[in-house]
């Protein structure tokens, strides 16, 4: 089973600052990684898929990079609505065995 | 507008059964793979099950294999999750979600329902 480890667990930042979130896979997964934003009381929101492709309607301040085992989500110039928990998700090989990372909480400093 | 509406959650005793439904609208339901993802209280997201657009392929997480069954009725635009032999650790909000791509799934999910709460307790 592929394990995704996200770091840091919590990121304390101010609006306007940039956030860099990390997701490390226990084995190589190519570029098959997505990032989601999750706020309390709401369903998750797809931000990035295939490591670097922004989903429909996602602002350009969200960007993803990486391949193999190390991936990064960067949020440039944090806005008030960006404070949330962020999860990475890999889609696995065949058969698909999807897994999520443990999450990074981006909180207001 | 894409909408996914879950129902069927509630309180059930350990060992009991429950069936969740997810009614879809605003897209061609029969063209997309669908999934269930859950979130236990105070925990992160956990993938549960996925089903192909034509129901031929279904996959379940090891934690629910043999107890949960995902299915769909494309004539009713509805996704199901039959949950048997429920345990306390199955207590969670259960979300249904739609794959981003038609026909050939990418196993990333771009639209999600609001979730259904399942509580397993005596």
């Amino acid at each position: 089973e592929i394990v995704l480890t996200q770091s840091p667990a919590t990121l304390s930042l101010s609006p306007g600052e940039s956030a860099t979130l990390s997701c490390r896979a226990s084995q190589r997964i190519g570029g098959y990684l997505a990032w989601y934003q999750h706020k309390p009381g709401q369903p998750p929101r797809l931000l990035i898929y295939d490591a670097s492709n922004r989903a429909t309607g996602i602002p350009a301040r969200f960007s993803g990079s990486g391949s193999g085992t190390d991936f990064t989500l960067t949020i440039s110039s944090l806005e008030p609505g960006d404070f949330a928990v962020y999860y990475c998700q890999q889609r696995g090989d065949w058969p698909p065995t999807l897994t999520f990372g443990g999450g990074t909480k981006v909180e207001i400093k | 507008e894409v909408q996914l509406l879950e129902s069927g959650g509630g309180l059930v005793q350990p060992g009991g059964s429950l069936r969740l439904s997810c009614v879809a609208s605003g897209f061609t339901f029969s063209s997309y793979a669908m999934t269930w993802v859950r979130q236990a209280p105070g925990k992160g997201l956990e993938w549960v099950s996925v089903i192909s657009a034509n129901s031929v392929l279904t996959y379940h997480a090891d934690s629910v294999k043999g107890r949960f069954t995902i299915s769909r009725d494309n004539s009713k635009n509805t996704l199901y999750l039959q949950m048997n032999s429920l345990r306390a650790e199955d207590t969670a909000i259960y979300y249904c979600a739609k794959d981003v791509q038609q026909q050939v799934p990418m196993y990333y999910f771009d639209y999600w329902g609001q979730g259904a709460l399942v509580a397993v307790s005596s």
Side-chain angles (χ1 to χ4, degrees):
Chain A
E1 177 189 340
I2 298 172
V3 176
L4 297 178
T5 302
Q6 291 188 241
S7 61
T10 304
L11 205 49
S12 298
L13 296 166
S14 301
E17 291 189 300
S18 292
T20 301
L21 287 66
S22 173
C23 177
R24 176 164 290 178
S26 60
Q27 55 186 278
R28 296 181 67 83
I29 58 172
Y32 298 128
L33 190 99
W35 290 93
Y36 297 83
Q37 177 191 70
H38 195 195
K39 297 179 183 179
Q42 297 185 21
R45 176 192 183 197
L46 177 67
L47 301 174
I48 302 288
Y49 65 93
D50 278 351
S52 60
N53 295 317
R54 269 189 300 277
T56 302
I58 301 303
R61 66 177 184 277
F62 292 92
S63 63
S65 64
S67 66
T69 59
D70 291 301
F71 300 85
T72 300
L73 174 70
T74 301
I75 313 170
S76 62
S77 190
L78 282 163
E79 296 189 359
D82 297 337
F83 293 92
V85 180
Y86 292 82
Y87 294 94
C88 55
Q89 175 236 320
Q90 65 86 25
R91 47 176 265 183
D93 203 333
W94 190 263
T97 50
L98 288 66
T99 53
F100 288 89
T104 291
K105 181 179 182 180
V106 178
E107 64 176 23
I108 300 177
K109 187 174 181 179
Chain B
E1 179 192 4
V2 172
Q3 290 193 336
L4 297 169
L5 184 61
E6 301 97 339
S7 62
L11 176 64
V12 61
Q13 292 188 337
S17 298
L18 214 54
R19 188 177 82 157
L20 300 181
S21 299
C22 170
V23 177
S25 60
F27 66 102
T28 305
F29 180 72
S30 59
S31 294
Y32 290 85
M34 298 291 294
T35 198
W36 290 97
V37 172
R38 68 185 181 183
Q39 184 178 35
K43 303 293 185 181
L45 300 176
E46 180 188 15
W47 170 70
V48 175
S49 303
V50 68
I51 186 169
S52 62
N54 59 8
S55 301
V56 170
L57 301 174
T58 62
Y59 303 102
H60 298 82
D62 287 344
S63 59
V64 306
K65 202 170 290 183
R67 300 188 299 122
F68 290 13
T69 302
I70 189 171
S71 63
R72 63 193 295 162
D73 185 338
N74 286 344
S75 69
K76 296 182 179 179
N77 286 355
T78 303
L79 175 73
Y80 301 102
L81 185 67
Q82 178 66 44
M83 303 183 292
N84 299 330
S85 303
L86 282 161
R87 306 166 179 167
E89 54 265 36
D90 296 318
T91 294
I93 297 172
Y94 285 74
Y95 296 99
C96 64
K98 162 193 166 292
D99 198 284
V100 297
Q101 182 169 274
Q102 293 189 67
Q103 303 304 341
V104 179
M106 295 186 74
Y107 300 111
Y108 308 122
F109 305 98
D110 58 351
Y111 286 93
W112 298 60
Q114 290 296 319
L117 178 60
V118 172
V120 184
S121 175
S122 54

